[in-house]
Amino acid sequence: SPLFDGIPSGTYFYFTHGFVAPSGPFVVGETTHSVTFPSAVQYGDVAFGVQFHPEAARTLYGHELIANFMKAQGRRTADEGA
């Protein structure tokens, strides 16, 4: 997924949600905490979803993930194209 370009595999992201959904064809990232469940999904190039907090200070590559999201949308900043 372009969301994770340049982000090392196994990178820790701050996660606080207790929701567990079944895995499926759109899963691009999984988390294991007692059970394994989707933590990131992608549907084509139009929809991305994460179940963690990329903006949290404890997330080392959060800014990179947000920048990757903006790039995937053809934008450089949150204000551009709004």
Side-chain angles (χ1 to χ4, degrees), residues 4-13 28-30 61:
F4 297 98
D5 284 350
I7 299 174
S9 179
T11 294
Y12 172 84
F13 285 94
V28 294
E30 293 184 318
Y61 289 90

Side-chain angles (χ1 to χ4, degrees), residues 3-81:
L3 284 182
F4 297 98
D5 284 350
I7 299 174
S9 179
T11 294
Y12 172 84
F13 285 94
Y14 183 63
F15 194 94
T16 60
H17 301 285
F19 303 113
V20 176
S23 193
F26 307 116
V27 174
V28 294
E30 293 184 318
T31 297
T32 301
H33 186 70
S34 299
V35 296
T36 299
F37 54 92
S39 55
V41 295
Q42 179 178 340
Y43 182 75
D45 292 331
V46 297
F48 301 92
V50 295
Q51 188 173 242
F52 54 83
H53 291 275
E55 79 286 356
R58 294 187 219 173
T59 300
L60 297 178
Y61 289 90
H63 292 274
E64 287 84 348
L65 186 133
I66 292 169
N68 287 343
F69 172 78
M70 300 307 294
K71 182 178 176 184
Q73 301 305 305
R75 297 158 63 179
R76 291 180 307 236
T77 68
D79 296 330
E80 187 178 2

